[in-house]
Amino acid sequence: MPRKKQQSEMTANLTQNLELTVVSAQDNERPGKGSVEELQLSLLPSGESKELSEIISTERNYDRWANFIFPHTKSPDLKEIRKKEWRLELPNGKEGTASILITPAKDGRCYTARTYDVYLALVWFWRELGMPNEPFKLNLSQIARKLEMPTSGKNLKAILNELEVLYFTNVSWVLSFQDITQRFMTTKNQRVLETFNYATLEERGGLSGQSGVTVQFNENIRNNIRNNITTPVNFTARKAIRSSVAKILYGRIDSILASHTRLERRIENLVGELNLTAHRYQHKSQRKVLGEMLIRNLNGLELSNKNILTVDLSETVDGQDFKLIFKSIPFEDRKKGSKGVAKLADQSVKIINTDPVLIESIVADMTALTGSNKANLGLYYSIAKHYSENLIHRAIGEFKELMSLNPKISNKSAYFTTIVHVIAHKMGEEWIKPCGSDCRYRPENQFLPE
């Protein structure tokens, strides 16, 4: 069975510096101060259905730098003070140094991509309540449902943890924060939440009717959203992404494709830009697996401008790498069956073995391993037709290793089939039947943070 270290390669060690070029702050401005629904409707072609995705118009500074402020949960320096600096020309013509400084809470907790999802949910509730100046109250279960999470105690506790992080983590902006009056504003020790109050049932004296959290955003965040210093985020699409690496990349690609229709990136460059562990992707085949994981998570998603994102994989001209081709397909082309928009039903694997002698030999190997249960023969023949000998024999080897460690496994056929399923995904293959991007056997889904 693949080791945990091997299985987590697709999701490990994303650090904060994503150097993909993004559109400027002015390019993302949207006129007017209408409601979220009005913003969405303004993006729709006339006569289109009013069934809308959740487009959240969120504060621009935090979204623009989300890959640095809210990095992947496996980033190596999350518990340390992190700083990003760059040179810029000031309005007076002089050069200055801009920076963003992230100071985690005293217990080491800090912002991550998961924190950003909770933040977006709070923005949605705040706007629905009419953007009040005073603190507003929510139940943890409301936030969980908005995030499409089961309202279990474990999930509610995780949300509460993220709310605490939003309150206790500091962000200092030097010549890097934009408000309605200036683009190069300095503001120190800013917290996303300036008010956060929660009491346990015991602390409330057993009064269950007083449950919930009371929160309020920092004044700069409130003012910017009211003054439309914002960026649209397709919250529906974001929630559909399981891989944190893909989720962060989606935000950057969404920003770029707001003003472009096409973008190409070598996967070798993406590894560097996402600061993934380079040695894990030193081989072309490993980079291909990474590219296919990103395609599974991103291809066919809706962008914040209501266009469709398509992602294709192609070998580079020099033959040394693969590249991902990102395209923004116009909204109205969705019903025309735009080429490249993925449907899981079209991703099922094709038959690659047609030699009956070879197929019988592979089936014989599998039945000798797990028993000659006739109920499993149909599945074994399908596996033998759809997957390479290399993949199947790798699964057989790992199954034998498992059996040596745990000889009491009773349902050997089911265990072996699971191993084939896991290895298929790890080698960049789909399962025999479409299993969805959230399949628990995909490498990027097996060790997601709780």
Side-chain angles (χ1 to χ4, degrees):
M1 195 72 172
R3 299 294 194 272
K4 179 173 179 178
K5 182 177 179 181
Q6 295 172 314
Q7 290 173 314
S8 61
E9 285 181 359
M10 296 298 96
T11 54
N13 294 330
L14 173 64
T15 55
Q16 61 273 12
N17 291 322
L18 179 58
E19 300 299 339
L20 292 177
T21 304
V22 298
V23 295
S24 67
Q26 298 96 317
D27 292 335
N28 272 333
E29 292 184 8
R30 298 194 184 278
K33 300 179 185 178
S35 67
V36 176
E37 183 177 6
E38 288 170 344
L39 170 69
Q40 294 183 65
L41 290 173
S42 71
L43 296 172
L44 290 173
S46 59
E48 189 55 63
S49 166
K50 291 185 173 18
E51 283 191 16
L52 305 171
S53 297
E54 289 181 291
I55 308 293
I56 297 179
S57 188
T58 190
E59 202 281 327
R60 180 180 301 160
N61 295 280
Y62 279 90
D63 183 75
R64 184 183 184 192
W65 299 104
N67 58 289
F68 172 68
I69 299 173
F70 303 97
H72 185 269
T73 55
K74 298 297 184 182
S75 297
D77 56 353
L78 283 178
K79 296 184 179 181
E80 307 297 328
I81 293 176
R82 297 182 292 114
K83 189 173 185 178
K84 182 179 182 67
E85 289 185 332
W86 65 97
R87 301 291 293 173
L88 79 168
E89 183 179 344
L90 298 171
N92 60 10
K94 296 182 178 180
E95 264 204 353
T97 300
S99 67
I100 304 173
L101 182 73
I102 311 294
T103 305
K106 291 182 179 179
D107 59 3
R109 289 182 295 170
C110 61
Y111 298 146
T112 66
R114 183 172 51 193
T115 316
Y116 194 54
D117 286 338
V118 174
Y119 162 71
L120 290 174
L122 293 182
V123 171
W124 186 91
F125 283 113
W126 180 68
R127 298 198 66 142
E128 287 295 300
L129 291 169
M131 298 187 288
N133 260 327
E134 63 276 5
F136 60 103
K137 191 171 184 177
L138 295 169
N139 290 322
L140 294 174
S141 57
Q142 287 179 279
I143 302 173
R145 286 192 290 269
K146 176 54 60 179
L147 294 171
E148 299 178 4
M149 298 168 60
T151 56
S152 64
K154 183 179 181 180
N155 286 336
L156 298 185
K157 185 177 180 180
I159 291 171
L160 183 62
N161 178 72
E162 299 303 342
L163 292 171
E164 291 174 344
V165 168
L166 286 169
Y167 180 71
F168 287 109
T169 302
N170 284 337
V171 184
S172 290
W173 308 77
V174 174
L175 300 174
S176 54
F177 194 86
Q178 177 186 359
D179 67 4
I180 197 170
T181 61
Q182 58 180 307
R183 290 183 57 199
F184 305 108
M185 179 178 170
T186 294
T187 174
K188 298 288 189 71
N189 299 315
Q190 188 180 96
R191 294 182 293 181
V192 169
L193 294 180
E194 66 181 29
T195 298
F196 170 70
N197 184 38
Y198 173 80
T200 65
L201 185 62
E202 181 180 340
E203 292 168 337
R204 297 192 301 269
L207 299 176
S208 59
Q210 298 180 12
S211 63
V213 294
T214 301
V215 296
Q216 183 54 292
F217 293 115
N218 177 276
E219 184 179 8
N220 287 330
I221 293 176
R222 300 199 309 269
N223 288 339
N224 271 1
I225 294 178
R226 289 194 183 100
N227 292 320
N228 210 32
I229 310 299
T230 57
T231 301
V233 174
N234 193 318
F235 199 31
T236 302
R238 182 180 171 89
K239 288 186 290 187
I241 302 171
R242 293 299 303 272
S243 163
S244 294
V245 174
K247 185 171 287 193
I248 291 175
L249 180 59
Y250 169 79
R252 297 303 91 203
I253 296 300
D254 187 31
S255 178
I256 295 169
L257 294 184
S259 57
H260 300 79
T261 59
R262 178 187 174 98
L263 173 73
E264 293 187 9
R265 299 301 296 170
R266 289 177 70 107
I267 297 179
E268 185 176 31
N269 291 339
L270 276 179
V271 169
E273 289 160 358
L274 292 169
N275 273 322
L276 297 170
T277 305
H279 74 84
R280 291 176 175 169
Y281 304 102
Q282 61 183 321
H283 300 298
K284 180 180 174 183
S285 59
Q286 294 169 321
R287 296 195 294 275
K288 182 181 180 183
V289 171
L290 173 61
E292 289 170 338
M293 180 278 285
L294 293 171
I295 287 176
R296 286 195 300 271
N297 276 268
L298 301 178
N299 191 34
L301 290 181
E302 190 177 65
L303 297 166
S304 62
N305 62 4
K306 306 294 287 186
N307 284 0
I308 293 296
L309 171 65
T310 68
V311 191
D312 292 310
L313 182 72
S314 176
E315 192 170 22
T316 55
V317 175
D318 60 15
Q320 300 300 307
D321 198 9
F322 290 93
K323 64 181 178 180
L324 289 178
I325 304 168
F326 304 91
K327 294 181 184 178
S328 175
I329 304 298
F331 182 93
E332 57 271 18
D333 288 348
R334 283 200 275 186
K335 295 181 179 179
K336 299 177 184 178
S338 300
K339 186 177 180 181
V341 177
K343 296 177 181 176
L344 287 173
D346 298 331
Q347 294 182 0
S348 55
V349 291
K350 298 178 181 179
I351 291 176
I352 62 172
N353 295 327
T354 57
D355 182 350
V357 176
L358 174 61
I359 292 171
E360 290 293 341
S361 174
I362 294 174
V363 171
D365 289 342
M366 289 188 286
T367 54
L369 189 72
T370 64
S372 56
N373 188 336
K374 292 183 179 180
N376 300 321
L377 283 178
L379 177 59
Y380 287 169
Y381 275 104
S382 186
I383 289 173
K385 292 176 182 178
H386 289 86
Y387 296 114
S388 67
E389 286 184 273
N390 176 48
L391 188 154
I392 296 169
H393 287 141
R394 178 173 169 181
I396 289 174
E398 293 195 3
F399 180 81
K400 288 179 178 178
E401 181 182 352
L402 257 179
M403 286 296 296
S404 68
L405 297 172
N406 186 8
K408 294 183 179 181
I409 293 174
S410 57
N411 194 339
K412 296 179 181 179
S413 179
Y415 228 89
F416 174 72
T417 302
T418 298
I419 292 174
V420 176
H421 195 156
V422 169
I423 292 176
H425 285 323
K426 191 170 182 181
M427 294 180 69
E429 301 281 354
E430 290 299 319
W431 183 232
I432 298 170
K433 294 182 179 180
C435 57
S437 62
D438 60 349
C439 172
R440 61 177 175 158
Y441 298 129
R442 295 188 186 277
E444 65 271 21
N445 295 335
Q446 289 187 14
F447 294 100
L448 292 176
E450 297 295 341

